[in-house]
Amino acid sequence: MTSSISIEYVEPSSSLVDDAARLHVASLSDTLTSNRGAKTLGGIYRRLIRKGHSLFVARVDNTVVGGVMVMIHDVERATLFSVVYRPWSWISVLRHLGVRELVAQLRDLAHVMRCNARLAPHDYIVALYVDQSARRHGVARTLIARASAEATSRGVGLAVDTLSTNEPARTFYHSVGFREFAVTPRSQVFTWARE
């Protein structure tokens, strides 16, 4: 990858939302949201952006190679909408994961949400993803830098969670200054404090 990385804030009406949703599904294929499909995820992204949350994409030569969806601290979360939007999309989740795994993931999500309630004011990274071809070129670091700069400008911290089994993600978050805050049955919650 020889071209420079540009980071852009995405407006809800932009076609970049669809590009980001497709890349999210391709890059994070085992997550609940990815299993609901790119069309569903694009709709959820648009709703979150309209409410005031942030989607940033990384582009190289006009191609989206990464993205980060950030829930802003003092903005309504729209959790119920995210669950009930395109309810039939849950059928594909059930087909892919099965009932037992779906229930296990939903339980862990509830644990993560309880951990988040104990955090100091913070923005929350709900998804960070980079195209396979663009990995190890600083895309994720650049996206994290943008998200942390936004959080710092509002005087809040930044948090994220990842599966405990995802060693590359855990190593990455440590390398960019995140520290472990809590552990759930399946996940680790990390925080980054503004300097």
Side-chain angles (χ1 to χ4, degrees):
M1 211 166 77
T2 58
S3 299
S4 65
I5 302 164
S6 68
I7 305 296
E8 300 172 40
Y9 171 80
V10 180
E11 296 290 339
S13 60
S14 172
S15 64
L16 291 174
V17 173
D18 299 318
D19 294 342
R22 282 191 293 273
L23 183 56
H24 178 157
V25 168
S27 301
L28 302 173
S29 60
D30 287 334
T31 64
L32 292 174
T33 50
S34 290
N35 280 283
R36 292 180 68 192
K39 189 169 185 174
T40 298
L41 186 55
I44 292 170
Y45 273 4
R46 281 187 172 81
R47 170 74 178 223
L48 292 173
I49 297 165
R50 278 189 212 105
K51 288 213 162 274
H53 300 289
S54 298
L55 173 62
F56 298 102
V57 296
R59 294 204 304 178
V60 173
D61 298 330
N62 266 350
T63 301
V64 173
V65 296
V68 63
M69 183 72 214
V70 182
M71 302 289 269
I72 303 302
H73 163 67
D74 54 357
V75 175
E76 178 188 346
R77 299 290 172 152
T79 305
L80 181 59
F81 171 83
S82 298
V83 172
V84 299
Y85 179 68
R86 296 174 56 90
W88 55 89
S89 66
W90 286 101
I91 293 169
S92 68
V93 176
L94 277 171
R95 281 189 195 134
H96 182 76
L97 298 178
V99 173
R100 181 174 291 190
E101 181 61 20
L102 173 59
V103 169
Q105 286 194 27
L106 289 172
R107 280 186 179 150
D108 195 62
L109 179 60
H111 286 289
V112 168
M113 291 173 75
R114 281 193 293 274
C115 291
N116 292 341
R118 297 190 332 252
L119 286 167
H122 65 282
D123 290 349
Y124 204 88
I125 296 171
V126 294
L128 172 66
Y129 43 90
V130 176
D131 184 78
Q132 185 72 31
S133 67
R135 291 183 184 163
R136 306 195 78 61
H137 293 283
V139 174
R141 284 181 185 280
T142 305
L143 287 164
I144 289 290
R146 179 67 182 264
S148 61
E150 293 289 319
T152 298
S153 74
R154 287 189 315 286
V156 299
L158 192 59
V160 65
D161 66 88
T162 190
L163 289 174
S164 297
T165 57
N166 189 344
E167 185 62 35
R170 291 173 45 227
T171 300
F172 169 74
Y173 289 124
H174 280 293
S175 76
V176 293
F178 283 80
R179 298 295 168 247
E180 186 179 291
F181 174 76
V183 177
T184 70
R186 292 177 160 223
S187 301
Q188 287 181 278
V189 178
F190 294 92
T191 59
W192 174 90
R194 59 191 170 90
E195 305 280 336

